[in-house]
Amino acid sequence: MIGAACSGSTGSPGGDTASPASSHPPVTSSTTTTSTTTTSSTTTSTTTLAPPAPPAFDRRGVLANGQTNGVVVTDTGWVLPVFGGIDGGWRVWTPCARVADVTHGRYVDTVDVVLDPGHGGPTEPGASAPDGTTEAELNLEIARRTAGALETMGYSVVLTRSDDVRVPIATRAEIARALHPKAFISIHLNAGTNARSATPGTELYYQLESPESRRLGGLIYVETTRVLAKHDIGWVSLTDAGAMSRPNRQGTDYYGVLRRPVPVVSVLAELAYISNRAEAELLSSSFVQNEVAAAIARGFDRWVNTDELGSGFTDDPIFRGYGPSGAGFTTDCTDPVLDRTP
Ligand SMILES: [Zn+2]
């Protein structure tokens, strides 16, 4: 199904081109004073963040990206970009891209990597395997293991979701914007072709205007395809699989997970085809999930520590269309309980 790939979309045609908010609320200090209560695991933190500015919205009424600094990780595990400090807490961007206030959590001003397990929640499972396993489930498994591999290397990591929940693209991108990471890596599995191939059909999308995104994509492509190709299974692939970019009609990045996080260096990995039974079975193996996770982490580490350019670039990809993929909306989203009062 070319043109309706599994990942983040452009949203409504022409409706997603609003400029990001230009003014960040100034962070007066990244220092967090933490005191832990003895009666529960709740961490109460106060910060010296500046008060929030009024939130800015795009033409569709969705919060505009680029108006938060740092995140609060709540004791229930939610990662909430911060507009600013309020009395006893923070004004935050919720998972469903709304504005709320929370009083409990841990303020984090930056990390090395934001990992983005694609899709999630009952209304957005992504692609699926012949046995019904969803892309959202496997994306999360691989992302968790990638986080573990990166942390073992000494990198700090935040995931955009840690459960089977819906998190719109705008929120995933804002988590990246808020944390100013070295890179944002969105993890997906593909669907849409049955064409047999001797090698994996991995597609690694990089940002059109970013040589560093291209280099990261090329390095993750090299590492992930090397571990996948060791498995002699019936792969499927488009003829132009590789590291590539994909423009939208306006000439910017088609995928919201690449366009919205700018200036954060971002890549989108379509690791393999979950729609192909053999690949779905392979990727359901915890051993293979660990192999792929370690490969993503190695690709990132090579990007940080070398000037290597990566390889596997597809310079003239097949036209994959301009149509929306349907994942860019913020409606049909129910925010979780963000704040557990002790
Ligand atoms: Zn996907």
Side-chain angles (χ1 to χ4, degrees):
M1 221 170 29
I2 291 174
C6 71
S7 49
S9 77
T10 56
S12 309
D16 198 18
T17 54
S19 301
S22 57
S23 61
H24 291 243
V27 179
T28 54
S29 167
S30 62
T31 306
T32 303
T33 312
T34 302
S35 65
T36 306
T37 67
T38 52
T39 51
S40 77
S41 63
T42 301
T43 302
T44 304
S45 301
T46 55
T47 69
T48 51
L49 296 182
F57 297 87
D58 69 17
R59 284 183 294 160
R60 289 191 297 162
V62 176
L63 281 171
N65 283 118
Q67 51 181 329
T68 63
N69 260 309
V71 302
V72 167
V73 181
T74 69
D75 58 357
T76 44
W78 297 100
V79 180
L80 310 173
V82 171
F83 291 104
I86 57 167
D87 186 22
W90 305 271
R91 183 149 298 158
V92 297
W93 176 309
T94 72
C96 289
R98 297 179 187 120
V99 179
D101 293 342
V102 296
T103 55
H104 293 79
R106 177 171 53 93
Y107 182 77
V108 178
D109 65 344
T110 189
V111 290
D112 294 318
V113 186
V114 174
L115 290 178
D116 177 44
H119 312 284
T123 60
E124 207 204 320
S128 51
D131 74 354
T133 302
T134 67
E135 187 199 336
E137 293 173 57
L138 292 184
N139 290 343
L140 181 55
E141 278 299 323
I142 295 166
R144 281 186 177 137
R145 292 163 195 268
T146 304
L150 286 164
E151 285 164 357
T152 299
M153 291 174 165
Y155 296 110
S156 55
V157 182
V158 156
L159 269 64
T160 56
R161 69 177 177 95
S162 308
D163 205 345
D164 186 23
V165 292
R166 174 154 154 64
V167 179
I169 300 292
T171 300
R172 297 169 192 257
E174 192 64 14
I175 292 170
R177 297 285 295 264
L179 284 166
H180 316 289
K182 291 179 170 68
F184 173 85
I185 303 171
S186 192
I187 294 173
H188 287 252
L189 299 172
N190 220 335
T193 182
N194 296 315
R196 289 288 174 185
S197 169
T199 52
T202 306
E203 295 177 356
L204 220 309
Y205 290 91
Y206 57 82
Q207 291 163 312
L208 279 160
E209 301 296 332
S210 171
E212 283 302 314
S213 170
R214 178 181 161 99
R215 201 168 73 78
L216 178 61
L219 288 166
I220 292 178
Y221 180 81
V222 170
E223 292 286 351
T224 53
T225 53
R226 182 158 60 202
V227 301
L228 289 171
K230 287 191 302 183
H231 299 279
D232 184 19
I233 63 168
W235 298 102
V236 299
S237 178
L238 296 180
T239 54
D240 67 344
M244 66 185 97
S245 56
R246 178 175 175 183
N248 62 16
R249 214 183 288 275
Q250 290 78 34
T252 58
D253 288 298
Y254 171 80
Y255 293 111
V257 288
L258 300 183
R259 188 183 64 253
R260 286 177 171 272
V262 171
V264 175
V265 172
S266 304
V267 294
L268 160 61
E270 298 278 4
L271 294 165
Y273 281 84
I274 190 177
S275 53
N276 174 14
R277 184 182 301 276
E279 293 179 49
E281 286 176 1
L282 186 74
L283 287 157
S284 296
S285 146
S286 56
F287 178 80
V288 175
Q289 289 170 359
N290 284 336
E291 282 188 320
V292 171
I296 296 169
R298 275 197 305 277
F300 173 79
D301 189 58
R302 284 174 69 181
W303 178 72
V304 170
N305 289 307
T306 75
D307 294 324
E308 296 171 295
L309 296 175
S311 61
F313 296 103
T314 301
D315 290 322
D316 189 18
I318 299 166
F319 178 62
R320 283 167 169 74
Y322 292 139
S325 75
F329 56 98
T330 57
T331 52
D332 200 14
C333 187
T334 305
D335 267 320
V337 174
L338 301 175
D339 211 355
R340 197 161 49 197
T341 309

mmCIF file of all heavy atoms in Angstrom, residues 145-168:
data_model
loop_
_atom_site.group_PDB
_atom_site.id
_atom_site.type_symbol
_atom_site.label_atom_id
_atom_site.label_comp_id
_atom_site.label_asym_id
_atom_site.label_seq_id
_atom_site.Cartn_x
_atom_site.Cartn_y
_atom_site.Cartn_z
ATOM 1 N N ARG A 145 14.171 -2.490 24.310
ATOM 2 C CA ARG A 145 15.479 -3.166 24.274
ATOM 3 C C ARG A 145 16.559 -2.232 23.729
ATOM 4 O O ARG A 145 17.710 -2.296 24.156
ATOM 5 C CB ARG A 145 15.369 -4.449 23.446
ATOM 6 C CG ARG A 145 14.495 -5.501 24.141
ATOM 7 C CD ARG A 145 14.029 -6.596 23.196
ATOM 8 N NE ARG A 145 12.934 -7.360 23.784
ATOM 9 C CZ ARG A 145 13.095 -8.480 24.504
ATOM 10 N NH1 ARG A 145 14.300 -8.962 24.688
ATOM 11 N NH2 ARG A 145 12.045 -9.103 25.018
ATOM 12 N N THR A 146 16.166 -1.372 22.805
ATOM 13 C CA THR A 146 17.123 -0.377 22.299
ATOM 14 C C THR A 146 17.522 0.589 23.415
ATOM 15 O O THR A 146 18.695 0.951 23.557
ATOM 16 C CB THR A 146 16.527 0.395 21.110
ATOM 17 O OG1 THR A 146 16.120 -0.542 20.105
ATOM 18 C CG2 THR A 146 17.533 1.362 20.514
ATOM 19 N N ALA A 147 16.541 0.985 24.214
ATOM 20 C CA ALA A 147 16.841 1.852 25.364
ATOM 21 C C ALA A 147 17.834 1.160 26.285
ATOM 22 O O ALA A 147 18.811 1.776 26.746
ATOM 23 C CB ALA A 147 15.555 2.200 26.111
ATOM 24 N N GLY A 148 17.621 -0.110 26.542
ATOM 25 C CA GLY A 148 18.539 -0.860 27.399
ATOM 26 C C GLY A 148 19.943 -0.903 26.820
ATOM 27 O O GLY A 148 20.934 -0.704 27.539
ATOM 28 N N ALA A 149 20.028 -1.143 25.513
ATOM 29 C CA ALA A 149 21.346 -1.213 24.864
ATOM 30 C C ALA A 149 22.050 0.138 24.924
ATOM 31 O O ALA A 149 23.258 0.216 25.196
ATOM 32 C CB ALA A 149 21.184 -1.663 23.413
ATOM 33 N N LEU A 150 21.312 1.220 24.691
ATOM 34 C CA LEU A 150 21.911 2.557 24.738
ATOM 35 C C LEU A 150 22.349 2.914 26.155
ATOM 36 O O LEU A 150 23.423 3.493 26.360
ATOM 37 C CB LEU A 150 20.913 3.590 24.212
ATOM 38 C CG LEU A 150 20.697 3.587 22.698
ATOM 39 C CD1 LEU A 150 19.425 4.358 22.334
ATOM 40 C CD2 LEU A 150 21.901 4.192 21.966
ATOM 41 N N GLU A 151 21.521 2.558 27.130
ATOM 42 C CA GLU A 151 21.864 2.874 28.525
ATOM 43 C C GLU A 151 23.109 2.108 28.956
ATOM 44 O O GLU A 151 23.940 2.635 29.697
ATOM 45 C CB GLU A 151 20.656 2.592 29.430
ATOM 46 C CG GLU A 151 19.595 3.675 29.288
ATOM 47 C CD GLU A 151 18.227 3.276 29.837
ATOM 48 O OE1 GLU A 151 18.063 2.121 30.289
ATOM 49 O OE2 GLU A 151 17.324 4.129 29.802
ATOM 50 N N THR A 152 23.244 0.882 28.476
ATOM 51 C CA THR A 152 24.448 0.101 28.778
ATOM 52 C C THR A 152 25.694 0.795 28.227
ATOM 53 O O THR A 152 26.772 0.725 28.811
ATOM 54 C CB THR A 152 24.320 -1.317 28.180
ATOM 55 O OG1 THR A 152 23.194 -1.945 28.787
ATOM 56 C CG2 THR A 152 25.558 -2.153 28.435
ATOM 57 N N MET A 153 25.530 1.487 27.100
ATOM 58 C CA MET A 153 26.646 2.243 26.518
ATOM 59 C C MET A 153 26.879 3.573 27.234
ATOM 60 O O MET A 153 27.833 4.284 26.907
ATOM 61 C CB MET A 153 26.353 2.551 25.044
ATOM 62 C CG MET A 153 26.375 1.345 24.141
ATOM 63 S SD MET A 153 25.821 1.855 22.470
ATOM 64 C CE MET A 153 26.355 0.427 21.506
ATOM 65 N N GLY A 154 25.999 3.922 28.145
ATOM 66 C CA GLY A 154 26.177 5.161 28.901
ATOM 67 C C GLY A 154 25.323 6.323 28.445
ATOM 68 O O GLY A 154 25.478 7.440 28.940
ATOM 69 N N TYR A 155 24.422 6.083 27.495
ATOM 70 C CA TYR A 155 23.549 7.159 27.008
ATOM 71 C C TYR A 155 22.262 7.226 27.832
ATOM 72 O O TYR A 155 21.744 6.194 28.261
ATOM 73 C CB TYR A 155 23.191 6.932 25.541
ATOM 74 C CG TYR A 155 24.378 6.980 24.605
ATOM 75 C CD1 TYR A 155 24.844 5.836 23.979
ATOM 76 C CD2 TYR A 155 25.029 8.185 24.356
ATOM 77 C CE1 TYR A 155 25.934 5.869 23.113
ATOM 78 C CE2 TYR A 155 26.119 8.237 23.503
ATOM 79 C CZ TYR A 155 26.565 7.083 22.883
ATOM 80 O OH TYR A 155 27.643 7.134 22.038
ATOM 81 N N SER A 156 21.743 8.427 28.003
ATOM 82 C CA SER A 156 20.443 8.587 28.648
ATOM 83 C C SER A 156 19.349 8.580 27.586
ATOM 84 O O SER A 156 19.534 9.082 26.480
ATOM 85 C CB SER A 156 20.402 9.891 29.456
ATOM 86 O OG SER A 156 20.734 10.996 28.637
ATOM 87 N N VAL A 157 18.223 7.982 27.938
ATOM 88 C CA VAL A 157 17.165 7.722 26.953
ATOM 89 C C VAL A 157 15.798 8.019 27.565
ATOM 90 O O VAL A 157 15.566 7.733 28.740
ATOM 91 C CB VAL A 157 17.177 6.225 26.519
ATOM 92 C CG1 VAL A 157 16.115 5.963 25.456
ATOM 93 C CG2 VAL A 157 18.550 5.815 26.017
ATOM 94 N N VAL A 158 14.919 8.582 26.753
ATOM 95 C CA VAL A 158 13.502 8.683 27.114
ATOM 96 C C VAL A 158 12.687 8.088 25.980
ATOM 97 O O VAL A 158 13.009 8.279 24.799
ATOM 98 C CB VAL A 158 13.095 10.152 27.386
ATOM 99 C CG1 VAL A 158 11.603 10.369 27.182
ATOM 100 C CG2 VAL A 158 13.484 10.571 28.802
ATOM 101 N N LEU A 159 11.651 7.327 26.336
ATOM 102 C CA LEU A 159 10.711 6.794 25.345
ATOM 103 C C LEU A 159 9.480 7.692 25.281
ATOM 104 O O LEU A 159 9.016 8.185 26.311
ATOM 105 C CB LEU A 159 10.267 5.371 25.720
ATOM 106 C CG LEU A 159 11.089 4.215 25.173
ATOM 107 C CD1 LEU A 159 12.501 4.235 25.709
ATOM 108 C CD2 LEU A 159 10.412 2.880 25.492
ATOM 109 N N THR A 160 8.927 7.844 24.076
ATOM 110 C CA THR A 160 7.730 8.677 23.942
ATOM 111 C C THR A 160 6.483 7.989 24.479
ATOM 112 O O THR A 160 5.487 8.642 24.771
ATOM 113 C CB THR A 160 7.472 9.045 22.474
ATOM 114 O OG1 THR A 160 7.383 7.833 21.709
ATOM 115 C CG2 THR A 160 8.584 9.919 21.920
ATOM 116 N N ARG A 161 6.521 6.667 24.554
ATOM 117 C CA ARG A 161 5.450 5.933 25.244
ATOM 118 C C ARG A 161 6.057 4.660 25.816
ATOM 119 O O ARG A 161 6.993 4.090 25.241
ATOM 120 C CB ARG A 161 4.273 5.612 24.317
ATOM 121 C CG ARG A 161 4.593 4.589 23.230
ATOM 122 C CD ARG A 161 3.365 4.254 22.390
ATOM 123 N NE ARG A 161 3.699 3.338 21.304
ATOM 124 C CZ ARG A 161 3.564 2.008 21.376
ATOM 125 N NH1 ARG A 161 3.101 1.436 22.464
ATOM 126 N NH2 ARG A 161 3.899 1.252 20.345
ATOM 127 N N SER A 162 5.505 4.207 26.957
ATOM 128 C CA SER A 162 6.019 3.004 27.609
ATOM 129 C C SER A 162 4.924 1.971 27.778
ATOM 130 O O SER A 162 5.076 1.011 28.517
ATOM 131 C CB SER A 162 6.601 3.351 28.980
ATOM 132 O OG SER A 162 7.527 4.393 28.856
ATOM 133 N N ASP A 163 3.816 2.189 27.119
ATOM 134 C CA ASP A 163 2.665 1.304 27.284
ATOM 135 C C ASP A 163 1.900 1.297 25.960
ATOM 136 O O ASP A 163 2.243 2.019 25.029
ATOM 137 C CB ASP A 163 1.781 1.839 28.420
ATOM 138 C CG ASP A 163 0.948 0.732 29.066
ATOM 139 O OD1 ASP A 163 0.842 -0.366 28.472
ATOM 140 O OD2 ASP A 163 0.400 0.992 30.142
ATOM 141 N N ASP A 164 0.852 0.484 25.896
ATOM 142 C CA ASP A 164 0.044 0.415 24.679
ATOM 143 C C ASP A 164 -1.005 1.523 24.706
ATOM 144 O O ASP A 164 -2.170 1.288 24.989
ATOM 145 C CB ASP A 164 -0.619 -0.961 24.562
ATOM 146 C CG ASP A 164 -1.357 -1.131 23.243
ATOM 147 O OD1 ASP A 164 -1.015 -0.412 22.271
ATOM 148 O OD2 ASP A 164 -2.285 -1.948 23.186
ATOM 149 N N VAL A 165 -0.552 2.732 24.451
ATOM 150 C CA VAL A 165 -1.420 3.911 24.532
ATOM 151 C C VAL A 165 -1.249 4.749 23.275
ATOM 152 O O VAL A 165 -0.226 4.701 22.604
ATOM 153 C CB VAL A 165 -1.073 4.792 25.745
ATOM 154 C CG1 VAL A 165 -1.423 4.078 27.032
ATOM 155 C CG2 VAL A 165 0.391 5.181 25.715
ATOM 156 N N ARG A 166 -2.279 5.540 22.987
ATOM 157 C CA ARG A 166 -2.211 6.411 21.834
ATOM 158 C C ARG A 166 -1.496 7.707 22.204
ATOM 159 O O ARG A 166 -1.862 8.377 23.170
ATOM 160 C CB ARG A 166 -3.621 6.731 21.342
ATOM 161 C CG ARG A 166 -3.635 7.745 20.232
ATOM 162 C CD ARG A 166 -4.857 7.616 19.347
ATOM 163 N NE ARG A 166 -5.146 8.898 18.717
ATOM 164 C CZ ARG A 166 -4.330 9.509 17.853
ATOM 165 N NH1 ARG A 166 -3.182 8.949 17.504
ATOM 166 N NH2 ARG A 166 -4.646 10.681 17.341
ATOM 167 N N VAL A 167 -0.469 8.035 21.456
ATOM 168 C CA VAL A 167 0.241 9.312 21.618
ATOM 169 C C VAL A 167 0.371 9.922 20.225
ATOM 170 O O VAL A 167 1.084 9.393 19.377
ATOM 171 C CB VAL A 167 1.642 9.110 22.242
ATOM 172 C CG1 VAL A 167 2.357 10.443 22.372
ATOM 173 C CG2 VAL A 167 1.544 8.419 23.593
ATOM 174 N N PRO A 168 -0.362 11.017 19.961
ATOM 175 C CA PRO A 168 -0.299 11.630 18.628
ATOM 176 C C PRO A 168 1.126 12.073 18.266
ATOM 177 O O PRO A 168 1.946 12.350 19.141
ATOM 178 C CB PRO A 168 -1.231 12.834 18.751
ATOM 179 C CG PRO A 168 -2.136 12.511 19.888
ATOM 180 C CD PRO A 168 -1.315 11.692 20.846
#
